[in-house]
Amino acid sequence: MEQKNQLFSYFEGISLLVLGILLFLFPLFMLTATTDAYTLPKQILLGALTFLVILFFGIKSLIKGQVIVRRTPFDLPILIFMAVVFISSIIATNKADSLISFVPFFFTILSFFAIVNIAKDKNSSLILATSLIAGGVVVSVLEVLSFLKIFVLPFAFTKFQLFNPFGSILDQVLYLVILLPLIVYLASPVIKMLKGRSANEAVSFEGGGEKGKTNAIGFAVCGVIIAAGILVSSYLLFKTPANTGGLLMLPYETGFQTGFAEISQDTGRVFQGFLFGSGYGTYITDFTRYKQPAYNDNATIWGFTFFRSSSLALELLATTGVLGVIAFISLLYKILKNRFVLSLMFLGAVATILLPFSFSIIALFFILLGLSSAIRASSSKAQNEGFSDVELELVALQKGLISFDATPSRKKNSVLPAIILGIMVIIIGLIGWFSGKYVLSDTIFQQSLIAASQNNGSVTYQNQAKAISIFPYRDAYYRIFSQTNLAIANSIASQQPQGAAPSAETQQTILTLIQQSINSGRTSLTYGPQTMLNWQNLSSVYRSLIGFGQNADQFAILAGQQAIA
């Protein structure tokens, strides 16, 4: 028994450590080995470490012989919202793109449940809050140093004034601003002392005393540093021209117009579009399909293609439909009822209506919600506010398969924990397998882009073909691969001596490359039939073959017309 308790404590401690590392590294994590140096690495980190924590939870339950989960008032709204997003993904026309976008969103949902069920006391919540804020402090310090042209990171791409670990100044400002209310709450003893009140009257994890005051002073210092980071970032955001990394947002007029057009004008799927939108993560298709010609009158932004709408609310309207917006509003309503969650009140009630959210900010939303819930669940009013620990038990089928007991018992039964652990392993294994293949293919494709920049056609071709064979569901792979085949075919043809006929082998190689270019262009349409870039690419392939392939001019026109449509 003692050995089991020690093992249980070990997994409990390591779970908290893993979550702390995740919250600290999340805003900082970057990789140059992937095609996207900023967002994809954060998705990898969040998915890998969250899965690890969930797996540890299953192992702990098996060791203890009980499955005890924490219930919060946000569970049902979150699960309904996730279900709507998932349905919108599986019925999307660009299904592959939408499902690929859903997986990182699923990671953010898991992070909420992981935090809530690992941070079971005030001390654990304090550790995680400190880790989250420490990451923001490092981001702020890096921003201030970069502004002063003091570059401390050893990587070449970080040595310029506008560098930030989010790849977007707006995202960095949002991330830091949203952290501030949490810091104000944790530093409240210092604030109340400045007002002449006793520190013991203030809210503190340690219940007052010297340790509580020390913690509060530390959080106050962190708040000052993060405020400095916000000021510098905001200055750069508004000073820098939009086309070089400054503030660039889709006009609200276009956001409204494309959102409401998607739920009312999606030919052939009006009902699905109204309820579930175009599919989570596919706003680019809504933007290219529904933006008005008047958009091109804007001299600043007419040449930009937007992947995000004017605000999160408008993007959800376009991509998850009316049901997605209703589900999200119901979650915001639950949050706003809890006055403690100041960060999320700002985030949900103001920012989602006014500002576009990247993956990093959406992840911060659920991380803060989980952390705030863990803190609130440790208070004396937790039960009255809907926070409680419940034990899952197997019962007779006529009474239901699983029951929720709000008063965890001491009896142990390893059947249900084993079943739940098995389900966790299956889900983690399946998603992990495909996610791993996705990441591996992405790193290989990045190597092909590096080879292309070095004018190494052979390595470019081989790596792109390998990336496609590993993960054959990304339309962008096929689109770029079609251009690679065409470029190599042109290169081989141009190397032939003038007036001399190429050998039969050379002719066959050129024909094979051209056919692969056409096939890849067509395959990109299989996975992204509503992506304008795929039709535009196929049109350019056929245009390059005018005079060489039969009816190439007609195919180029037809594909161009589809791109316009």
Side-chain angles (χ1 to χ4, degrees), residues 164 168-175 237 245-249 308 355-356 361:
N164 66 81
S168 164
I169 303 176
L170 176 60
D171 288 348
Q172 178 167 278
V173 171
L174 275 175
Y175 193 94
L237 180 66
L247 182 61
L248 181 64
M249 287 175 53
R308 287 184 269 170
L355 296 168
I361 308 304

Side-chain angles (χ1 to χ4, degrees), residues 149-161:
K149 297 185 178 180
I150 302 173
F151 307 115
V152 296
L153 297 178
F155 312 108
F157 72 97
T158 66
K159 299 185 183 300
F160 70 104
Q161 199 174 40

Side-chain angles (χ1 to χ4, degrees), residues 7-57:
L7 195 57
F8 179 85
S9 299
Y10 169 78
F11 278 108
E12 205 163 48
I14 198 171
S15 297
L16 187 64
L17 175 63
V18 170
L19 274 180
I21 292 172
L22 168 62
L23 300 189
F24 173 74
L25 287 182
F26 181 76
L28 303 165
F29 197 61
M30 300 173 291
L31 289 174
T32 57
T34 54
T35 55
D36 174 6
Y38 302 102
T39 301
L40 181 57
K42 289 176 173 56
Q43 293 172 345
I44 296 170
L45 180 73
L46 183 67
L49 296 191
T50 303
F51 271 166
L52 193 59
V53 171
I54 294 296
L55 186 62
F56 286 161
F57 176 81

Side-chain angles (χ1 to χ4, degrees), residues 207-224:
E210 291 301 320
K211 190 173 182 181
K213 285 186 278 186
T214 302
N215 289 339
I217 292 171
F219 286 122
V221 172
C222 291
V224 172

Side-chain angles (χ1 to χ4, degrees), residues 179-323:
L179 282 180
L180 268 185
L182 177 64
I183 296 172
V184 170
Y185 170 78
L186 296 174
S188 58
V190 173
I191 297 172
K192 293 186 178 182
M193 285 173 64
L194 293 175
K195 291 181 178 180
R197 294 172 59 184
S198 168
N200 291 325
E201 298 177 27
V203 178
S204 173
F205 281 98
E206 305 299 331
E210 291 301 320
K211 190 173 182 181
K213 285 186 278 186
T214 302
N215 289 339
I217 292 171
F219 286 122
V221 172
C222 291
V224 172
I225 296 173
I226 287 180
I230 292 171
L231 289 175
V232 172
S233 300
S234 300
Y235 172 77
L236 292 174
L237 180 66
F238 292 103
K239 175 195 173 186
T240 307
N243 59 352
T244 58
L247 182 61
L248 181 64
M249 287 175 53
L250 184 68
Y252 287 101
E253 178 185 357
T254 307
F256 272 105
Q257 185 265 317
T258 53
F260 283 98
E262 166 55 37
I263 64 172
S264 61
Q265 301 175 22
D266 197 349
T267 306
R269 57 188 307 276
V270 175
F271 181 70
Q272 298 98 310
F274 177 77
L275 293 180
F276 297 103
S278 62
Y280 182 77
T282 63
Y283 179 75
I284 184 175
T285 65
D286 304 317
F287 171 77
T288 56
R289 291 178 72 194
Y290 299 115
K291 65 182 174 67
Q292 295 294 313
Y295 171 85
N296 294 324
D297 293 334
N298 190 317
T300 303
I301 64 172
W302 71 271
F304 289 95
T305 298
F306 284 84
F307 293 81
R308 287 184 269 170
S309 187
S310 311
S311 70
L312 176 62
L314 292 175
E315 184 172 338
L316 288 175
L317 178 65
T319 59
T320 64
V322 173
L323 291 183

Side-chain angles (χ1 to χ4, degrees), residues 315-346:
E315 184 172 338
L316 288 175
L317 178 65
T319 59
T320 64
V322 173
L323 291 183
V325 172
I326 292 174
F328 189 66
I329 289 175
S330 68
L331 175 58
L332 292 184
Y333 174 73
K334 283 287 187 180
I335 291 170
L336 292 173
K337 284 182 66 177
N338 189 335
R339 295 181 179 274
F340 167 76
V341 195
L342 297 177
S343 292
L344 293 168
M345 288 176 68
F346 167 79

